[in-house]
Amino acid sequence: MGTIPESMRERVEETRRIVSDLHAELPRWGLVVWTAGNVSQRVRGEAADGSDDLLVIKPSGVTYDELTPDAMVVCDLDGALVDGTRSPSSDTAAHAYVYRHMPEVGGVVHTHSTYATAWAARREPIPCVLTMMADEFGGPVPIGPFALIGDDSIGRGIVETLRTSRSPAVLMANHGPFTIGKDARSAVKAAVMVEEVARTIHVAQQLGQPHPIDAADIDSLYDRYQNVYGQ
Amino acid sequence: MGTIPESMRERVEETRRIVSDLHAELPRWGLVVWTAGNVSQRVRGEAADGSDDLLVIKPSGVTYDELTPDAMVVCDLDGALVDGTRSPSSDTAAHAYVYRHMPEVGGVVHTHSTYATAWAARREPIPCVLTMMADEFGGPVPIGPFALIGDDSIGRGIVETLRTSRSPAVLMANHGPFTIGKDARSAVKAAVMVEEVARTIHVAQQLGQPHPIDAADIDSLYDRYQNVYGQ
Amino acid sequence: MGTIPESMRERVEETRRIVSDLHAELPRWGLVVWTAGNVSQRVRGEAADGSDDLLVIKPSGVTYDELTPDAMVVCDLDGALVDGTRSPSSDTAAHAYVYRHMPEVGGVVHTHSTYATAWAARREPIPCVLTMMADEFGGPVPIGPFALIGDDSIGRGIVETLRTSRSPAVLMANHGPFTIGKDARSAVKAAVMVEEVARTIHVAQQLGQPHPIDAADIDSLYDRYQNVYGQ
Amino acid sequence: MGTIPESMRERVEETRRIVSDLHAELPRWGLVVWTAGNVSQRVRGEAADGSDDLLVIKPSGVTYDELTPDAMVVCDLDGALVDGTRSPSSDTAAHAYVYRHMPEVGGVVHTHSTYATAWAARREPIPCVLTMMADEFGGPVPIGPFALIGDDSIGRGIVETLRTSRSPAVLMANHGPFTIGKDARSAVKAAVMVEEVARTIHVAQQLGQPHPIDAADIDSLYDRYQNVYGQ
């Protein structure tokens, strides 16, 4: 086990609290059951290339009732445990791969939320037919490759798919959604919104075909929302 | 920033409390996720033409846990901020347009509730095939035009559609429902009921065709409910 | 307004508490939104023919947060108010008709629960294809006639349909379920169970046809459950 | 009524608490309504052949609000009451049969959860098209025979079906899921997960066909998850 550099300790403790609190949003919005799902956030280190950054993530197989800041675990960006009394989530390698290869990303979330995972099972991208989806995703939510756990193939699939898209969410084939953001809160928001649009457009398609939205209108909605919205 | 006239201050404070409390009904009935959705209520001024009326609405991009009376913002009917420490909801211009052009309206609600938004994505009015829908809506729930945010086109689409209907709800194309009422509470009720009938009739149509209700029976149900029901 | 006979006062107070508490089960199990739905229970009087029986029911248009024993209203079996400060539910005439014509019934419940109401909109009985449905309903859940509110036609439709069925639930056409029981608790249980079987069999039919259960097996399950089950 | 051997008393009391607490997970994850569903756990006795093992289970027809450790009942593996003031669940014979014939099983759960029961109504196994399903179930969830309550036929159907499968869940025809585990907690997890995969794959199939997962990949996922996952 490594050690947390003195200069990062305070921020690591603050990040444990943030990541612990954000896990409560996953069952609150119906995205997970039992111990499924995980949220992580990057803690930036001293090195300009990010090589000493850390990540804080949920431990493996622990229920949502047991999640406290102290239970969160700290890993380096190779996914190795740096601090914590439990094993990190089995999805840690995928989170770490994303942080290593996408320096602008500060938060990652993974769930098996029902409707997003159903699109993933059919390997069918979610079409952009709602104004709220144009706002948040700027186009369709793409499908990533089928990848087994155990090496870098999930992380690589996430990164390669998201690099060619404006969407902060990717649906990994037969698996479920991974989302990214500038911090964990943004990635959790994307996880909530990808399930929302997955469900609404599923329901719309059950009784016919949604009207498409013109590409120029999608661009206009996306640009305004990303640049103007919020406080 | 303007100022709230002395004669309206007490009613503005009371309205902040009402609007803040009513926002809690949106997640309670499953109509919104994250920070989506907004409720507003008109505060009538001195001018007979309503030109100095104000509206109280939710700030932009703020979570449902943070909503308190103090967090609510006050705008004039051009949507300009009059009082409050945060930016008003990005839908404020649409609310303000409705208040300017429909003097009988005292409350407006907007959500992206799942089933109503699914009908909106197909641009398909909800047919009136339930007695509770005849009671509340007096006929089908109509579809409004596709309109981008940023000018008066959403507000104009709402008003033009609702003027030709008995329904207090309009489904804006590829966007979602807007509802109106004599006050914010009535508009929230209409938002709850439009999702209820959107969901129930969706479910009915999944396995066949609902029986229609005769127009005369719809009229009879609507008249009784609007004139007799309640305390 | 009548008066409650001395001999019934204590039982009326107890029944107000029971009926008030049971209303909380309706939103708990997702059967109602806003102020919809109502539960009543009979209070037996002195007359052998039940002519001085009373019923306790929810007031009209009051939210679930405001429901207390004191808010409940007392009516005679013609639906006239005997005690209470609010108007009785607009469905009181239907409840009263059931009590007048089905002396064995001690509780009545009405909701617009989503899946049961969807079958009602298609006027399609729910087929008995689950063992739990054979247990509780002893066969299909029947459809009642289309009836407008305002006279005895809803009550008459409920009674005529239930007299020819073992089911404690009837789906009134384009309207929703009414359920009966030996007391209000049993009628609430039937309201919960009719939505449960309506939903499960709807879901089953979405992807194919459920296997039927033999009539003799339905009889066997129903007989055991009605005679052996419980404490 | 038998008596609990001195050597088992402490473990029986601890098991009452565990089984009582686990019942709360069933409504929490939306698996049951009203009094439906039951969880049991084995308490091992002195005999090497398990002949004096006991089981702790929920009483019959009691609501989830009334479930306390004291309310739980203790039975022998013939399903006869050994300790408790209420009748055991009417499914006790099925639980007891499983414990008698599957010595490695320490917990059993039965629900009528909506989506799993819908597959059971069509007598259609749930295909293994999600990585989380490969992890937990190692293949499809099988269908058990149609069996009436009242003798050993439900228990026998569960055991015969599960012996030929890696799945800890069986969908009894026209009835619902039974799940097993090394203890009650594992069986509850399987009950939560079988509903999760039943729902997600149902939703996926509503709009097309899920992509299959290769048998070798299913094996690989199952082996890793069963041997590596968790703390």
Side-chain angles (χ1 to χ4, degrees):
Chain A
M1 201 148 47
T3 54
I4 303 172
E6 181 65 34
S7 66
M8 298 173 74
R9 284 202 190 140
E10 201 170 323
R11 284 178 298 130
V12 165
E13 289 315 299
E14 172 69 2
T15 307
R16 281 180 191 265
R17 198 187 54 71
I18 290 170
V19 170
S20 173
D21 286 354
L22 284 169
H23 273 96
E25 300 290 326
L26 304 187
R28 178 186 187 177
W29 300 111
L31 306 186
V32 294
V33 296
W34 207 244
T35 67
N38 35 71
V39 176
S40 72
Q41 184 164 293
R42 184 200 295 263
V43 185
R44 296 193 189 272
E46 304 287 327
D49 66 356
S51 58
D52 61 349
D53 287 0
L54 299 174
L55 67 88
V56 176
I57 194 165
K58 171 169 160 285
S60 177
V62 169
T63 68
Y64 280 86
D65 293 342
E66 300 169 292
L67 292 178
T68 60
D70 283 353
M72 298 296 111
V73 296
V74 184
C75 295
D76 64 27
L77 293 200
D78 294 315
L81 186 67
V82 171
D83 192 61
T85 57
R86 297 166 184 255
S87 309
S89 163
S90 57
D91 295 306
T92 302
H95 290 245
Y97 188 98
V98 174
Y99 291 122
R100 282 206 307 282
H101 292 85
M102 300 184 91
E104 73 282 15
V105 169
V108 176
V109 172
H110 173 47
T111 79
H112 299 152
S113 65
T114 302
Y115 287 86
T117 302
W119 291 90
R122 290 193 312 272
R123 304 189 186 179
E124 190 180 335
I126 310 175
C128 184
V129 295
L130 296 172
T131 58
M132 69 166 151
M133 188 172 175
D135 288 348
E136 300 277 354
F137 297 91
V141 175
I143 297 291
F146 181 79
L148 290 185
I149 199 165
D151 59 15
D152 274 349
S153 55
I154 293 178
R156 203 167 52 237
I158 296 167
V159 169
E160 287 174 3
T161 309
L162 289 180
R163 276 191 179 145
T164 65
S165 171
R166 290 198 289 212
S167 167
V170 50
L171 307 178
M172 293 299 283
N174 296 86
H175 185 167
F178 282 82
T179 61
I180 58 173
K182 68 181 200 299
D183 53 20
R185 177 160 211 89
S186 298
V188 170
K189 182 187 180 187
V192 171
M193 294 309 298
V194 76
E195 181 64 5
E196 180 81 341
V197 300
R199 180 174 50 234
T200 305
I201 298 169
H202 174 91
V203 169
Q205 290 200 2
Q206 286 187 304
L207 296 181
Q209 279 306 313
H211 265 250
I213 303 181
D214 285 349
D217 289 338
I218 291 173
D219 288 350
S220 158
L221 286 161
Y222 182 74
D223 289 345
R224 187 204 65 89
Y225 190 77
Q226 300 300 322
N227 298 318
V228 179
Y229 182 74
Q231 292 295 323
Chain B
M1 202 149 46
T3 54
I4 303 171
E6 181 65 34
S7 66
M8 298 174 74
R9 283 201 192 142
E10 202 170 321
R11 283 178 299 131
V12 165
E13 290 314 300
E14 170 70 1
T15 306
R16 281 180 193 266
R17 198 187 53 72
I18 290 169
V19 170
S20 173
D21 286 353
L22 283 169
H23 274 97
E25 301 290 327
L26 304 187
R28 178 186 188 178
W29 300 110
L31 305 186
V32 295
V33 296
W34 207 245
T35 66
N38 36 70
V39 177
S40 72
Q41 184 165 291
R42 185 200 293 264
V43 184
R44 296 192 188 273
E46 304 286 326
D49 65 355
S51 58
D52 60 350
D53 287 359
L54 300 173
L55 67 89
V56 176
I57 195 166
K58 172 170 159 282
S60 177
V62 169
T63 68
Y64 280 87
D65 293 341
E66 300 169 294
L67 291 178
T68 60
D70 283 353
M72 299 296 111
V73 297
V74 184
C75 295
D76 64 26
L77 293 200
D78 295 316
L81 187 67
V82 171
D83 192 61
T85 57
R86 297 166 183 253
S87 309
S89 163
S90 58
D91 296 306
T92 301
H95 289 244
Y97 188 97
V98 174
Y99 291 122
R100 283 206 307 282
H101 292 85
M102 300 184 92
E104 73 282 14
V105 169
V108 177
V109 173
H110 173 46
T111 79
H112 298 152
S113 65
T114 302
Y115 287 85
T117 301
W119 290 91
R122 290 194 311 272
R123 304 189 187 179
E124 189 180 336
I126 310 175
C128 185
V129 295
L130 295 173
T131 57
M132 70 168 151
M133 187 172 176
D135 288 347
E136 300 277 354
F137 297 91
V141 175
I143 297 292
F146 181 79
L148 291 185
I149 200 166
D151 60 14
D152 274 349
S153 56
I154 293 178
R156 201 165 55 237
I158 297 168
V159 168
E160 287 173 1
T161 309
L162 290 181
R163 275 190 180 146
T164 65
S165 172
R166 290 198 290 213
S167 167
V170 50
L171 307 178
M172 293 299 284
N174 297 85
H175 184 168
F178 282 82
T179 61
I180 57 172
K182 67 181 202 299
D183 53 21
R185 177 159 211 89
S186 299
V188 170
K189 182 187 178 185
V192 172
M193 293 310 298
V194 76
E195 180 64 5
E196 179 82 340
V197 301
R199 180 173 50 233
T200 305
I201 298 169
H202 174 90
V203 170
Q205 290 200 2
Q206 286 186 305
L207 296 181
Q209 279 306 312
H211 265 249
I213 303 182
D214 284 350
D217 289 338
I218 292 174
D219 287 350
S220 159
L221 286 162
Y222 182 73
D223 290 345
R224 187 202 66 89
Y225 190 78
Q226 300 299 321
N227 298 319
V228 178
Y229 182 74
Q231 292 296 323
Chain C
M1 205 150 44
T3 53
I4 302 172
E6 182 65 34
S7 64
M8 298 174 74
R9 280 199 195 144
E10 203 171 320
R11 282 178 299 132
V12 165
E13 289 315 299
E14 171 69 2
T15 306
R16 281 180 192 267
R17 196 186 55 70
I18 290 169
V19 170
S20 173
D21 286 354
L22 283 169
H23 274 97
E25 301 289 326
L26 304 187
R28 178 186 188 178
W29 300 112
L31 306 186
V32 295
V33 296
W34 206 246
T35 68
N38 35 71
V39 177
S40 72
Q41 183 165 294
R42 185 201 294 263
V43 185
R44 296 193 188 272
E46 304 286 327
D49 66 355
S51 59
D52 60 350
D53 287 359
L54 300 172
L55 67 88
V56 175
I57 195 166
K58 171 169 160 283
S60 178
V62 170
T63 67
Y64 280 87
D65 293 341
E66 300 169 292
L67 291 179
T68 60
D70 282 354
M72 298 298 110
V73 296
V74 184
C75 294
D76 64 25
L77 294 199
D78 294 316
L81 187 66
V82 172
D83 191 62
T85 57
R86 298 167 183 253
S87 309
S89 162
S90 59
D91 296 306
T92 301
H95 290 243
Y97 188 97
V98 174
Y99 291 122
R100 282 207 307 283
H101 292 84
M102 299 184 92
E104 74 283 14
V105 169
V108 177
V109 172
H110 174 46
T111 80
H112 298 154
S113 64
T114 301
Y115 287 85
T117 302
W119 291 91
R122 292 194 311 271
R123 303 189 186 178
E124 189 180 337
I126 310 175
C128 184
V129 295
L130 296 172
T131 57
M132 70 167 151
M133 187 172 178
D135 287 348
E136 300 277 354
F137 296 91
V141 175
I143 297 292
F146 181 79
L148 291 184
I149 200 165
D151 59 15
D152 276 347
S153 55
I154 293 178
R156 204 166 51 237
I158 297 167
V159 168
E160 287 173 2
T161 309
L162 289 181
R163 276 191 179 145
T164 66
S165 171
R166 290 198 288 212
S167 166
V170 51
L171 307 178
M172 293 298 285
N174 297 87
H175 184 166
F178 282 83
T179 60
I180 57 172
K182 67 181 203 297
D183 53 22
R185 176 158 211 91
S186 299
V188 170
K189 182 187 179 186
V192 171
M193 293 310 298
V194 76
E195 180 64 4
E196 179 81 341
V197 300
R199 179 173 52 234
T200 305
I201 298 170
H202 175 90
V203 170
Q205 290 200 2
Q206 285 187 305
L207 296 181
Q209 280 306 312
H211 266 250
I213 303 182
D214 285 349
D217 289 338
I218 291 174
D219 287 350
S220 159
L221 287 161
Y222 181 73
D223 289 344
R224 188 203 66 90
Y225 190 77
Q226 300 299 321
N227 297 317
V228 178
Y229 182 75
Q231 293 295 324
Chain D
M1 202 149 48
T3 55
I4 302 172
E6 182 65 36
S7 65
M8 298 174 74
R9 282 202 192 140
E10 202 170 322
R11 283 178 297 133
V12 165
E13 289 315 299
E14 171 69 2
T15 306
R16 282 180 192 266
R17 198 187 53 71
I18 290 169
V19 170
S20 173
D21 285 354
L22 284 169
H23 273 96
E25 301 290 326
L26 304 187
R28 178 186 188 178
W29 300 110
L31 306 186
V32 295
V33 295
W34 208 245
T35 66
N38 36 71
V39 176
S40 72
Q41 183 164 294
R42 185 200 295 260
V43 185
R44 296 194 188 271
E46 304 286 328
D49 66 354
S51 58
D52 61 348
D53 287 1
L54 299 173
L55 67 87
V56 175
I57 195 166
K58 171 169 160 283
S60 178
V62 169
T63 68
Y64 280 87
D65 292 341
E66 300 169 292
L67 291 178
T68 60
D70 282 352
M72 298 297 111
V73 296
V74 183
C75 294
D76 63 26
L77 293 200
D78 294 316
L81 186 67
V82 172
D83 192 61
T85 57
R86 298 166 184 255
S87 310
S89 163
S90 58
D91 295 306
T92 301
H95 290 244
Y97 189 98
V98 173
Y99 291 123
R100 281 207 308 281
H101 292 84
M102 300 184 91
E104 72 283 15
V105 170
V108 177
V109 172
H110 174 47
T111 79
H112 299 153
S113 66
T114 301
Y115 287 85
T117 301
W119 291 90
R122 291 194 312 272
R123 304 189 186 178
E124 190 180 336
I126 310 174
C128 184
V129 295
L130 296 172
T131 57
M132 69 167 149
M133 188 172 176
D135 288 347
E136 300 276 355
F137 296 92
V141 175
I143 297 292
F146 181 78
L148 291 185
I149 200 165
D151 59 15
D152 275 348
S153 55
I154 294 179
R156 204 166 49 237
I158 297 167
V159 169
E160 287 173 2
T161 310
L162 290 180
R163 275 190 180 148
T164 65
S165 172
R166 289 198 290 214
S167 166
V170 51
L171 308 177
M172 292 299 286
N174 296 87
H175 184 168
F178 282 83
T179 60
I180 57 172
K182 69 180 200 298
D183 53 20
R185 178 160 211 90
S186 299
V188 170
K189 182 187 179 187
V192 171
M193 293 310 297
V194 76
E195 181 64 5
E196 179 81 340
V197 300
R199 178 173 52 235
T200 305
I201 298 170
H202 175 91
V203 169
Q205 290 200 2
Q206 286 187 305
L207 296 181
Q209 279 306 313
H211 265 250
I213 304 182
D214 285 349
D217 289 338
I218 291 174
D219 288 348
S220 159
L221 286 161
Y222 181 72
D223 289 344
R224 188 202 66 88
Y225 189 76
Q226 299 301 321
N227 297 318
V228 179
Y229 182 74
Q231 292 295 323

